[in-house]
Structure formats: structure tokens, C-alpha cells
Amino acid sequence: MSSPARAHDALVTLTSLTFDWPDGTRALDDVSGSFGHGRTGLVGRNGSGKTTLLRLVTGELTPTSGSIHVSGTVATLPQQLGLDTDRTVAEALGIAPVLAAIHAIEGGSLAQADFDTVEDRWGIEAEALATLATLGLEADADADLLDRPLGTLSGGEVVTVGLAALQLQRADVALLDEPTNNLDRSARARLVAAIDAWPAQRSLVVISHDTELLEHVERIVEVHGHELRGFDGAWSVYRAAIEAEQQAAADAVRSAEQDVRRQRRDRIEAEVKLAGRRRIAERDYANKRAPRIVMKTWGMQAEQAAAKHRHLHDDRLDRATEALTDAESRVREDRSVRIELPATRVPAGRTVLELAAGADTFVVRGPERIALTGDNGSGKTTLLREVLGLPTAVPPVARLVRRIDEVGHLPQRIELDGELTVLESVRAAAPSATPQEVRASLARFLFRGALAEREVAGLSGGERFRVALARVLLADPAPQLVVLDEPTNSLDVDSVDQLVDALTAYEGALLVVSHDEDFLGRIGITRRWQVVDAGLVEAPPAPPAP
């Protein structure tokens, strides 16, 4: 059930919170709401201010106006934890000073500062290793895990360290920002298990667009306008509530439109009647049907009645128009991508791609949709570079034998020329298409009218993604094989929906690296290849969700 995020038992309360960046750009505008105990998923479109909100809660940023009240301590798992590659695991866990003090005391130190640092945490090393092991990261027999630099860990292992740090800190409020980005399947499963086991007396707030993960929270809070809207239940409950709300809003719009049309029709009919009466009165006046003074009195009374009649109908029309505006304001913008891509069609028997891995051959024929899976660091991206004919730093797990020429590529990192307009950027990939043809296609990618003339540098992340997607799918020649590397990373739910819309319309072959099983299911994966033990194998159907 939807409501403003409730202040009851709140650990974090926001009141009329506004934040402006130094250049004057407003990130949050008069937002109010709260976060309580238990597991909460924080959702909203890219650019809605979710990460900014968390940075305000931690105190990293200061509100322009309004207030934040936090009951207890706050800890966070930032998106960029893995970039600080020189930090050791112990430093990332926040226990390095305690370990150093313990080692100093064991070496004979009697300094009071060392004892003050340790306090009662003499078993912190064992506790830290046990916490990491519970989350799936165990120390090697020949290496000290706590001394390892983060740069030697995989992305999933870094997130595991971050989760362990949150648990060791025992903070009252824990904040996770897009924790599943770049995680492989096993790391995602460990993350979900950690979230499921989160203590109910503390607050866990997770920013995520990962719908699988959001099924494991107890409440969804949406950054929506000037408030945080709360929905009791997991992601599926939230989506059902939004869909029901939008259906009701659409029904209200249709009803209000009918009322506006009815009031306009009544207003016109009233004017016609008044005009008829006026003509009769003018004829009577000309024929001197009654004394002039009497007829003037009749005329004044008629005008007064007519004015009152007009005011009545105008008032009804104004109320109907206001009701329509209010109903329309509750309908969210249709963000669906609706396109047709017949030029991408591939005949069922055509060989699109052939790879050789030792004695094994892997062939893609016709419009097959292949998911390429495997642990982080297993060589999936290297194999994609081999498929695309790009140089590789290490040998790929399979070699390219042959491949069609009409290939599109949507990489993890979107790079576009910011000085070009949307129209110019897409035309560069389809030079034979006329500006009118490209405009018509861009409208289906939600770049309608003047939006096609905006410079790419001024677009939001979701808009830039749609430009990149349009460049791939509208290219000339049309792609009959599209290669995608973790395409849903950092995308909001709307953008993922738009990608699914576009790939549903695409009629060629797909080769997709993704750990997002919900996404893979929605785009109709037909086969799976898995990179395992430095080799490529045909994999079984989708594993069950964690």
C-alpha cells in the first residue's frame, strides 16, 4: 500500500530536504520522508537523487535547506569501493588500527593509546575472517587475507569485503549503493543471503535497480517528486501497486476528458439557445410588441440571466478542466520504446558466428539468443573482444573462426561525442538515412521533436544510453548480430525496460554477457555458453534465482 515513507520508528527522518549543487543545479527539492527498521529498497529513475540522498544521510553533503535526523550510527557501502585498490582488506573493514594496536601490545607495548584502541575487541581478527568466510570469502592457506590489497580481489570479492565491514561496524543504519553492479552469480547469491540475514533491529537501505535483489527487501521507497513514497512489500508488490495506480489514473483521465467534452458541448448549446432568444427579443423590439421601457427591462433581465447562465457553464467547464489536469498529473510518462527493425532479420539457417575452443566448435545460426555466463575474471569480456575482432591482452577461451560483417556492439562503458546532437550522433551510424527518417526513428526511442536537437553532453545517463542503443540498432547496414557486455549495469528500471523493448523488436542474433537472470529471461535467451576452468562449454538452462 502506498503512503509517504512513515516516520513511525524511523531511524532516518528527512524534513523538507533541498540540495543544490554548486552550479545551482537542484538535485533534491523539498523532499520529506523516513527510513525505519528492517530492509528497504530505495528506487527511482537515474538522476532522481537517490545517491545524493544517501550522501546527505552520511553527512558527506550538507543540505541547502531542510533537515536530516539520524538515530544512531551510519555506515555505507559505496559504489566506488573497488577503485581504492591500494587499501588492504583490513583497512577496508575498518579494523586496521585495532589490529596494529593488538600487534603492538603483543610485541610489548604498554602504551595506553594502544589499549584504548583495542578496547574489548581482542578477537577482531578471528571475527573478521569468520564474517568474510560466512559471506563466501575465505582466507587462502598460504596468504593473509586481511593484508591483501583490494586491487588483487575481484569485483564480487570487494563487495563481500564491504558487506563484512558493515556487519563488523554494527551500525544502526547501513546504506548500500548499487551493490550488485559487476557481481557474478555466486557473488549475487552471497549478497542476497547477507541481506536476508540482516538484523531486524537495524536499518538497511539499498539503492538498486536489480529486481531480483529487490524481492528480498521488506519495503520499497520511491524517490517521487517532493516525498519518499513507501510501499510495504518487495519489488513485485510495488510494481503491482504502481500498475494499479496507473490504471486508475488512466481511467480517471478518460472520465475527465469525457466530462470536459460534455461541458464544452453544453456550453455551446447554451450559447445557441441564448443567441436564439436574443434574435427573438430584437425582432420583438423592432416590431414594438410592448412599450419600449418594458422591452428594455426585459432585455436587461435577459442579459443578466444570460450572464448567469454563461457563468454557470464556464464554472462547470473550468472545474472539469481542472479535474482533467489533476488526473493527467497522476499518469506517469509513457517511457516505452516501440520500434520495428525488419532490416535486422536473420534467416534461420544462416551461420552468424563460429568459434573454436580446442576440439569443440560453437556455432550461432539464425536469430539465436546466447547468454555468455561465468564468474568475474573468467574471460567473458576477453571472448567478446575476440568475437568483435578487437585485440586481447590474454588469449581468449575460444578463437574466432568466422562471423558475419553486420555486427553491433553495446559495451559496458558508453562513449559518445558530447558535441554532437542526438540526431547527428545517430546519423553518423546511419549516413545513408535522411534526417527525416532518423527523426522518425528517434521519436520511437523517446527523442521527440526538439529533443533530437539536444547535444549529447547535456543528456542524462538514461538518455545517453538510449542514444547509444539507437546508434547500434538503427545503424546502416543493420546489425544481424548484436554483442552486449553487462548492458543493465547502472541502468534504472525504466532504461532496462526500454532495452528489453528494443531487443524484443530486434530480429537478429544476440550474444549477451549478463548476471541479471530476470533480464536474460525477458529478452528470450535460447541457449547458454559458460566460461569455466579457462574453457567454453554449452551450459544448461537458467539456474534458479537465489
Side-chain angles (χ1 to χ4, degrees), residues 154-157 182-185 187 374-380 486 515:
S154 70
E157 290 171 334
N182 302 310
L183 294 191
D184 59 30
R185 192 72 189 168
D375 292 339
N376 285 344
S378 61
K380 301 185 299 296
E486 294 289 359
H515 299 298

Side-chain angles (χ1 to χ4, degrees), residues 102-124:
I102 291 173
H103 293 157
I105 293 170
E106 290 174 343
S109 172
L110 298 177
Q112 185 61 44
D114 287 333
F115 285 91
D116 289 343
T117 298
V118 176
E119 294 182 329
D120 61 348
R121 306 182 75 186
W122 296 96
I124 189 61

